[in-house]
Amino acid sequence: MSTTSVETAANPQALVDRLPAAPGDWERNEEPGGIVEYRLSDEESPCTAAKVAVRPDILSDTAVRLVRKRGCGDAGSDTFDSIAAATDAVSRELRHVLAAVGDDQPR
């Protein structure tokens, strides 16, 4: 069994600095501790159409955790061993959702 500590997680400021800007209608919000949330509004629901939350992962021996929400429900999560891998995944996820809703133009 591996030991888990804050040292296993990505550096919070490095994570915030490396994550992409919000494309299209996504909104990016930064919270203390290296948490970055991307939200895509839904005009017909009190929930977001989509949300991607990225944070240093102190719950396992990986560096970064990515959590997805669709509407009001969970849509899965992934963990990454590096900030670079997480950044690539976040960029792909944001573009994929924009393409699916037909809004893939950058702001």
Side-chain angles (χ1 to χ4, degrees), residues 10 12 14-16 18-20 28-39 51-57 63-68 78-80 82-83 85-91 93-94:
L15 180 60
V16 169
R18 293 273 308 272
L19 288 170
R28 177 182 157 148
N29 298 296
E30 299 172 12
E31 301 293 332
I35 300 168
V36 177
E37 290 185 345
Y38 297 89
R39 294 183 178 110
K51 181 169 119 176
V52 175
V54 186
R55 67 185 68 223
D57 188 1
V64 180
R65 177 173 300 273
L66 180 148
V67 178
R68 296 171 198 84
D78 289 302
T79 57
F80 301 91
S82 70
I83 292 174
T87 299
D88 289 344
V90 168
S91 294
E93 188 78 21
L94 297 176

Side-chain angles (χ1 to χ4, degrees), residues 5-69:
S5 68
V6 174
E7 287 78 28
T8 63
N11 175 288
Q13 191 59 51
L15 180 60
V16 169
D17 292 344
R18 293 273 308 272
L19 288 170
D25 285 337
W26 283 102
E27 296 175 7
R28 177 182 157 148
N29 298 296
E30 299 172 12
E31 301 293 332
I35 300 168
V36 177
E37 290 185 345
Y38 297 89
R39 294 183 178 110
L40 191 59
S41 297
D42 185 345
E43 296 176 9
E44 299 175 15
S45 170
C47 298
T48 57
K51 181 169 119 176
V52 175
V54 186
R55 67 185 68 223
D57 188 1
I58 60 172
L59 300 177
S60 72
D61 59 359
T62 59
V64 180
R65 177 173 300 273
L66 180 148
V67 178
R68 296 171 198 84
K69 287 192 174 268

